[in-house]
Amino acid sequence: MAEKLEAVKVLYCGVCGLPAEYCEFGPDFDKCKPWLIQFAPHIYPNLLQEAGGKDADKVADQLQSTSISADGSSTSKPEEVKRLPGGKVKKKDKKEVIIEKVVRNKRKSITTVKGLELFGVKLSDASKKLGKKFATGASVVKGPTEKEQIDVQGDIAYDIVEFLTDTWPDVPESAIFFIEDGRKVPAA
């Protein structure tokens, strides 16, 4: 009868969350070094040599500054900056409403409203109100960037600004922009 194999126990870094062997490839290797010296000296023996004889005091000071507890878990607040895979910083969405008119066939057009949800407006309610106000079809659809937007039938681009600011006072007129000839133009 064959022996049962045990699962491999992986040591994960308490700072970046990667397996300790991969910390050097992560975005915060300098922050990981004190944790690695204390909890995984066998993986990176050259870090101990770099630290020299004063490594115990230095590691303790660095751990205090990065606020890592003895069990390896980080006790500091999560970072404000969101990181994508590969260490890239995720940009926050600007609070602005973008209105774009798209012409289809020769005389028919669609007005697209993007970014209304950033002001706390429920898109399904907004599309109903837009459809009733302008007596057209209005629907919530996913745009090319996988974000939801409102498509309204007809050319109502310039009438819509006043309606948005009157209906939702949280949406300032300075945050509304038009896309004209590929450029962003303020509505005010």
PDB file of all heavy atoms in Angstrom, residues 9 26 57-58 73 80 88 126 154 164 175 184:
ATOM      1  N   LYS A   9       3.345  22.765   2.993  1.00  0.00           N
ATOM      2  CA  LYS A   9       3.011  23.953   3.762  1.00  0.00           C
ATOM      3  C   LYS A   9       3.804  25.122   3.184  1.00  0.00           C
ATOM      4  O   LYS A   9       5.026  25.084   3.145  1.00  0.00           O
ATOM      5  CB  LYS A   9       3.334  23.752   5.229  1.00  0.00           C
ATOM      6  CG  LYS A   9       2.452  22.703   5.864  1.00  0.00           C
ATOM      7  CD  LYS A   9       2.690  22.582   7.339  1.00  0.00           C
ATOM      8  CE  LYS A   9       1.761  21.509   7.887  1.00  0.00           C
ATOM      9  NZ  LYS A   9       1.916  21.352   9.310  1.00  0.00           N
ATOM     10  N   GLY A  26       7.829  40.821  -5.999  1.00  0.00           N
ATOM     11  CA  GLY A  26       6.647  41.622  -5.689  1.00  0.00           C
ATOM     12  C   GLY A  26       6.947  43.108  -5.695  1.00  0.00           C
ATOM     13  O   GLY A  26       8.101  43.543  -5.826  1.00  0.00           O
ATOM     14  N   ASP A  57      18.544  44.024  16.391  1.00  0.00           N
ATOM     15  CA  ASP A  57      18.023  45.345  16.760  1.00  0.00           C
ATOM     16  C   ASP A  57      17.400  46.048  15.556  1.00  0.00           C
ATOM     17  O   ASP A  57      16.349  46.675  15.664  1.00  0.00           O
ATOM     18  CB  ASP A  57      19.146  46.227  17.327  1.00  0.00           C
ATOM     19  CG  ASP A  57      19.710  45.651  18.627  1.00  0.00           C
ATOM     20  OD1 ASP A  57      18.945  44.956  19.332  1.00  0.00           O
ATOM     21  OD2 ASP A  57      20.896  45.903  18.907  1.00  0.00           O
ATOM     22  N   LYS A  58      18.081  45.946  14.428  1.00  0.00           N
ATOM     23  CA  LYS A  58      17.601  46.621  13.219  1.00  0.00           C
ATOM     24  C   LYS A  58      16.255  46.044  12.773  1.00  0.00           C
ATOM     25  O   LYS A  58      15.340  46.777  12.408  1.00  0.00           O
ATOM     26  CB  LYS A  58      18.652  46.454  12.117  1.00  0.00           C
ATOM     27  CG  LYS A  58      18.497  47.394  10.975  1.00  0.00           C
ATOM     28  CD  LYS A  58      19.680  47.240  10.047  1.00  0.00           C
ATOM     29  CE  LYS A  58      19.637  48.256   8.939  1.00  0.00           C
ATOM     30  NZ  LYS A  58      20.738  48.126   8.027  1.00  0.00           N
ATOM     31  N   SER A  73       1.160  38.744  10.991  1.00  0.00           N
ATOM     32  CA  SER A  73       0.071  39.470  10.337  1.00  0.00           C
ATOM     33  C   SER A  73       0.302  40.964  10.481  1.00  0.00           C
ATOM     34  O   SER A  73       0.818  41.431  11.484  1.00  0.00           O
ATOM     35  CB  SER A  73      -1.267  39.085  10.946  1.00  0.00           C
ATOM     36  OG  SER A  73      -1.289  39.470  12.303  1.00  0.00           O
ATOM     37  N   GLU A  80      -4.327  53.024   1.020  1.00  0.00           N
ATOM     38  CA  GLU A  80      -5.356  53.790   0.331  1.00  0.00           C
ATOM     39  C   GLU A  80      -5.315  53.532  -1.168  1.00  0.00           C
ATOM     40  O   GLU A  80      -6.308  53.617  -1.848  1.00  0.00           O
ATOM     41  CB  GLU A  80      -5.150  55.283   0.596  1.00  0.00           C
ATOM     42  CG  GLU A  80      -5.216  55.666   2.068  1.00  0.00           C
ATOM     43  CD  GLU A  80      -6.587  55.461   2.666  1.00  0.00           C
ATOM     44  OE1 GLU A  80      -7.579  55.674   1.959  1.00  0.00           O
ATOM     45  OE2 GLU A  80      -6.667  55.072   3.834  1.00  0.00           O
ATOM     46  N   LYS A  88       0.856  47.695 -10.525  1.00  0.00           N
ATOM     47  CA  LYS A  88       0.387  48.959 -11.092  1.00  0.00           C
ATOM     48  C   LYS A  88      -0.659  49.572 -10.165  1.00  0.00           C
ATOM     49  O   LYS A  88      -1.449  48.872  -9.553  1.00  0.00           O
ATOM     50  CB  LYS A  88      -0.232  48.732 -12.467  1.00  0.00           C
ATOM     51  CG  LYS A  88       0.773  48.328 -13.506  1.00  0.00           C
ATOM     52  CD  LYS A  88       0.112  48.195 -14.853  1.00  0.00           C
ATOM     53  CE  LYS A  88       1.146  47.789 -15.880  1.00  0.00           C
ATOM     54  NZ  LYS A  88       0.510  47.581 -17.193  1.00  0.00           N
ATOM     55  N   ALA A 126     -32.659  56.812 -13.120  1.00  0.00           N
ATOM     56  CA  ALA A 126     -32.305  57.934 -13.991  1.00  0.00           C
ATOM     57  C   ALA A 126     -32.763  57.686 -15.422  1.00  0.00           C
ATOM     58  O   ALA A 126     -33.254  58.601 -16.087  1.00  0.00           O
ATOM     59  CB  ALA A 126     -30.799  58.172 -13.957  1.00  0.00           C
ATOM     60  N   GLY A 154     -32.213  59.832 -29.495  1.00  0.00           N
ATOM     61  CA  GLY A 154     -32.418  61.215 -29.900  1.00  0.00           C
ATOM     62  C   GLY A 154     -31.284  62.123 -29.483  1.00  0.00           C
ATOM     63  O   GLY A 154     -30.433  61.762 -28.671  1.00  0.00           O
ATOM     64  N   LEU A 164     -30.401  67.299 -15.573  1.00  0.00           N
ATOM     65  CA  LEU A 164     -29.565  66.587 -14.595  1.00  0.00           C
ATOM     66  C   LEU A 164     -29.332  67.430 -13.346  1.00  0.00           C
ATOM     67  O   LEU A 164     -29.431  66.933 -12.224  1.00  0.00           O
ATOM     68  CB  LEU A 164     -28.219  66.200 -15.216  1.00  0.00           C
ATOM     69  CG  LEU A 164     -28.233  65.117 -16.282  1.00  0.00           C
ATOM     70  CD1 LEU A 164     -26.830  64.918 -16.847  1.00  0.00           C
ATOM     71  CD2 LEU A 164     -28.762  63.812 -15.747  1.00  0.00           C
ATOM     72  N   ALA A 175     -19.249  69.658 -13.270  1.00  0.00           N
ATOM     73  CA  ALA A 175     -18.766  68.285 -13.426  1.00  0.00           C
ATOM     74  C   ALA A 175     -19.351  67.602 -14.654  1.00  0.00           C
ATOM     75  O   ALA A 175     -19.153  66.414 -14.851  1.00  0.00           O
ATOM     76  CB  ALA A 175     -19.099  67.471 -12.185  1.00  0.00           C
ATOM     77  N   LYS A 184     -12.970  66.696 -24.923  1.00  0.00           N
ATOM     78  CA  LYS A 184     -13.868  66.871 -23.789  1.00  0.00           C
ATOM     79  C   LYS A 184     -14.061  68.374 -23.561  1.00  0.00           C
ATOM     80  O   LYS A 184     -13.101  69.094 -23.330  1.00  0.00           O
ATOM     81  CB  LYS A 184     -13.277  66.200 -22.549  1.00  0.00           C
ATOM     82  CG  LYS A 184     -14.223  66.167 -21.392  1.00  0.00           C
ATOM     83  CD  LYS A 184     -13.850  65.163 -20.328  1.00  0.00           C
ATOM     84  CE  LYS A 184     -12.518  65.378 -19.726  1.00  0.00           C
ATOM     85  NZ  LYS A 184     -12.291  64.605 -18.511  1.00  0.00           N
TER      86      LYS A 184
END
